Each structure stands twice: as structure tokens, then as C-alpha cells.
């Protein structure tokens, strides 16, 4: 028996292969010109869809969820982070929320390692000098960065991405330390030779490099507050590929400007897409435009996860990547 095709509204342009498959399977409304939806447009989409396939650029808050029609049953997020969705409000209305975990782990870990290397070894600064025609020859004391081999990396959040980063970092000779709600299992800790710090404060004070890899939830908002940032050693580097809201960005910019911290590598910002203007002027930061999961393979895999979640729901089963409020 042929399935009735549910009405799926997709809020942003997705890879062609994903859009083609979605059109085959569902009554799909695409956003071909990729203009981000306003709150009104999002509300209207919620009122006509059975499934909203949204992304991080959509603020699906309580007021948007209030506009959902009776038919809206699933919010299938294209992305792993769901901090832009009021999951509790959706849950209360009986709307399922899903995400796309697992498929962007390795890409994000790669780029995090890239930011660590780029910050420690001044890669972007050096490249900019050459491109500006200002490379006038080698010097024994010019463009000196910091050696990574033998240093300590503190990972804040040892989930999938944190663990994948740890594997890469070990190959670069970094000793692995981490702070997490709970210690990882004994086998993983042994494999990574990872040291668990129950106290984030104590870990921060002893690391050479700190990488933020936890999700943004009410409990992790400004986890790296002005007070905690001050615990970092002046030679330390801070890298963030998770969410901007986890770090007090204004406090960080001030410290970098005053030379109280050696450098930072950031892919995410507290008020994205705005970036603190102080950061833009600093030579000791590497700033990327939220691209750590941006590989064509990763984005297609994310699309496939969205499709699997919708199809499973359509078949009357529980979608595999359901988010329930108590998980956050
Ligand atoms: C994610 O999947 O959460 C990435 O940051 C893109 O939203």
C-alpha cells in the first residue's frame, strides 16, 4: 500500500541529493533561494506543515511553537545542536524533536584539531603575511608559535566529538585531560590515557590548551564565565567549536586584548552571526564562520538522518534520534 506523503517544510537549502530524495518521499516544500526564515515565516510554516525540517538559523521558540497547527507532529532538525528549539514546549504539545547525531563527529573533531594547530602555530597570521606580499625572508626569531607536543589539552565535554578530538590530539603528543558530567568508561579512559577532572576550575588552571566540546544547555550557558576564564594560564589557548554561548565572549575578547590569554580559535560566537568587534582586530585569534561540520559528505549524511527520522515517524515508529527534555 502506498504511503500518504506527509507535508514537510524545509527551512534552508539542503544538498541537492538530499532535496531530491525528500521530494521523492514526501510532499516537500523547499527553500531554494536559501533565505533564512523570519519568525513570521517560521510560524506560518509551522501552521501548514506536518514536519518542519529546520536548522540552527531558525529560532523555534515557544511563540513559534504556539503557532503550530494540529497537523505538526515532528520537528526534524538538520544538525546536532538543538539549543535553538524549545524542546520542552514542543514536547508539551506532543511534537517530537529529532536531531542528527554521530554523522558530523569526525568532521568537527578535524576542524577543532585544525583550530588548535592554527592558533598554536599562527597559521592564519602567517598565511595573511604571505598573501599581503610581506614575506621578506626567514628569521630565527620571527613568527614563533608554541609547540604542541608534550603539552596538556583540557577537553570540556567528553562526548562523541570530545573523544574523537582526544584521539587526534594524542597523535600530536598532547596529554588528554577532560571535564564532563561523568567520567567516561574505563576502557575509553584507558585507550585515550585521559585524566578526569571533576572540578572544571582546577582543570582550567592547569591546561595549555582548552577545547570546548559540550552542548549548549541552560547548565552550560557561560560555563566559561569571566571568573573561570581568569583561571586560565596566560600562555593558554582556548578553542570553541561547540556553541558561542558557552563562553562569555566579551570577557574573552577583553582578556585577549589585554594579553591575559595567548590566543583563541573560534568557530562559533555568542551572538551569531555577529562577532564581537574587539575579536576582529586581534592578531592572536583564528576566527571561522561556524563551519566545523561543513563537508559535503557530512551534510549529505545529516540530510539522510533527517530523512530516516521522518520516515520512521511516518511508519508509525519512534524516530531514532528523538530528543527528550530530560536529556538536555
Ligand atoms: C550542529 O549540527 O549543531 C552544527 O553546529 C550546525 O548546526
Amino acid at each position: 500500500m502506498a504511503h500518504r506523503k506527509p507535508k514537510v517544510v524545509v527551512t534552508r537549502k539542503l544538498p541537492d541529493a538530499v532535496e531530491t530524495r525528500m521530494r521523492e518521499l514526501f510532499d516537500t516544500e523547499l527553500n531554494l533561494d536559501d533565505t533564512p526564515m523570519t519568525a513570521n515565516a517560521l510560524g506560518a510554516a509551522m501552521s501548514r506543515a506536518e514536519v518542519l525540517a529546520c536548522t540552527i538559523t531558525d529560532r523555534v521558540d515557544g511563540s513559534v511553537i504556539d503557532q503550530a497547527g494540529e497537523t505538526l507532529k515532528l520537528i526534524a532538525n538538520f544538525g546536532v545542536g538543538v539549543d535553538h528549539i524549545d524542546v520542552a514546549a514542543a514536547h508539551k504539545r506532543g511534537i517530537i524533536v529529532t536531531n542528527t547525531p554521530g554523522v558530523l563527529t569526525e568532521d568537527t573533531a578535524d576542524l577543532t584539531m585544525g583550530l588548535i594547530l592554527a592558533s598554536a602555530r599562527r597559521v592564519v597570521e602567517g598565511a595573511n603575511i604571505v598573501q599581503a606580499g610581506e614575506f621578506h625572508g626567514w628569521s630565527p626569531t620571527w613568527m614563533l608559535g608554541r609547540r604542541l607536543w608534550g603539552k596538556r589539552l583540557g577537553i570540556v565535554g567528553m562526548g562523541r566529538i570530545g573523544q574523537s578530538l582526544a584521539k587526534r590530539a594524542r597523535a600530536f603528543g598532547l596529554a588528554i585531560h577532560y571535564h564532563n558530567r561523568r567520567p567516561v568508561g574505563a576502557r575509553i579512559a584507558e585507550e585515550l590515557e585521559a585524566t578526569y577532572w571533576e572540578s572544571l576550575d582546577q582543570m582550567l588552571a592547569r591546561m595549555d590548551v582548552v577545547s570546548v566540546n559540550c552542548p549548549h544547555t541552560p547548565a552550560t550557558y557561560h560555563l566559561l564565565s569571566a571568573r573561570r576564564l581568569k583561571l586560565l594560564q596566560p600562555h593558554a589557548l582556548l578553542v570553541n567549536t561547540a556553541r558561542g554561548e558557552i563562553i562569555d565572549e566579551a570577557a574573552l575578547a577583553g582578556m585577549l586584548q589585554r594579553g591575559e590569554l595567548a590566543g583563541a580559535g573560534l568557530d562559533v560566537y555568542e551572538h551569531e552571526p555577529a562577532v564581537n568587534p574587539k575579536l576582529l582586530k586581534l592578531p592572536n585569534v583564528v576566527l571561522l564562520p561556524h563551519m566545523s561540520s561543513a563537508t559535503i559528505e557530512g551534510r549529505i549524511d545529516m540530510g539522510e538522518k533527517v530523512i530516516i527520522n521522518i520516515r520512521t515517524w511516518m511508519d508509525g515508529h519512534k524516530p531514532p534520534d528523538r530528543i527528550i527534555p530530560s536529556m538536555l
Side-chain angles (χ1 to χ4, degrees), residues 56 78-82 100 104 241-243 268 290 292-293 299 302:
I56 187 184
F78 181 90
V80 70
V82 289
T100 61
L104 40 79
T241 53
R243 283 291 184 267
V268 286
H290 198 149
S292 63
S293 69
R299 293 288 154 89
M302 285 160 75

Side-chain angles (χ1 to χ4, degrees), residues 122-154:
R122 305 172 64 179
V123 171
V124 175
E125 222 182 315
N128 287 344
I129 286 171
V130 177
Q131 286 204 305
E134 283 163 16
F135 175 42
H136 305 301
W138 188 87
S139 151
T141 54
W142 184 61
M143 285 305 292
L144 304 187
R146 290 283 181 161
R147 176 185 294 159
L148 284 179
W149 192 267
K151 300 284 170 61
R152 295 171 146 205
L153 168 65

Side-chain angles (χ1 to χ4, degrees), residues 35-197:
T35 311
M37 283 189 176
T38 60
N40 281 345
L42 207 52
M46 298 282 282
S47 69
R48 64 180 182 274
E50 292 175 77
V51 178
L52 184 82
C54 61
T55 74
I56 187 184
T57 54
D58 305 303
R59 185 135 295 285
V60 188
D61 58 17
S63 66
V64 167
I65 288 172
D66 280 347
Q67 296 172 64
E70 284 306 308
T71 54
L72 193 107
K73 298 291 177 219
L74 173 64
I75 298 174
N77 187 54
F78 181 90
V80 70
V82 289
D83 51 335
H84 54 292
I85 302 172
D86 189 335
V87 177
H91 199 72
K92 235 189 242 163
R93 290 269 318 249
I95 300 167
I96 301 167
V97 177
T98 59
N99 69 344
T100 61
V103 291
L104 40 79
T105 304
E106 304 305 335
D107 296 330
T108 305
D110 279 347
L111 206 91
T112 310
M113 197 62 229
L115 273 177
I116 293 173
L117 283 164
S119 313
R121 299 300 304 277
R122 305 172 64 179
V123 171
V124 175
E125 222 182 315
N128 287 344
I129 286 171
V130 177
Q131 286 204 305
E134 283 163 16
F135 175 42
H136 305 301
W138 188 87
S139 151
T141 54
W142 184 61
M143 285 305 292
L144 304 187
R146 290 283 181 161
R147 176 185 294 159
L148 284 179
W149 192 267
K151 300 284 170 61
R152 295 171 146 205
L153 168 65
I155 300 176
V156 181
M158 197 61 145
R160 275 182 287 254
I161 296 171
Q163 290 175 30
S164 290
L165 169 64
K167 286 183 194 144
R168 286 158 176 75
R170 271 171 52 75
F172 283 87
L174 285 155
I176 307 304
H177 298 255
Y178 72 100
H179 169 78
N180 203 39
R181 278 189 290 194
R182 281 176 294 280
V184 295
R187 192 187 51 76
I188 296 170
E190 197 178 319
E191 188 192 322
L192 299 172
E193 293 184 67
T195 305
Y196 176 61
W197 294 77

